[in-house]
Amino acid sequence: MIPDEISIAAWSLSARHLVRGQRDPALMVAEAIAMERQRCLKIVTECCGENSDVARKIRAGSK
């Protein structure tokens, strides 16, 4: 079962794309991955520091 907050985020993300006339599900998934990567980077940076190995790896994956 998918938690409610994930379902709500997925519907919100889909709605934003559909309102803009986009129909490509790959763009929706790519945006969700980018959002999650940014969320993880924020958490890691707060916990481990901006120059930690984990933070650098997450940033490297964003490029």
Side-chain angles (χ1 to χ4, degrees), residues 11-30:
W11 277 108
S12 174
L13 184 67
S14 298
R16 283 199 310 267
H17 281 268
L18 294 172
V19 165
R20 292 184 287 204
Q22 296 175 347
R23 301 284 184 252
D24 186 353
L27 288 175
M28 294 180 204
V29 171

Side-chain angles (χ1 to χ4, degrees), residues 21-50:
Q22 296 175 347
R23 301 284 184 252
D24 186 353
L27 288 175
M28 294 180 204
V29 171
E31 184 178 339
I33 292 169
M35 288 170 52
E36 182 64 12
R37 184 173 283 154
Q38 284 304 112
R39 188 183 75 79
C40 291
L41 180 58
K42 181 181 175 187
I43 293 168
V44 166
T45 300
E46 289 173 0
C47 293
C48 304
E50 191 172 315

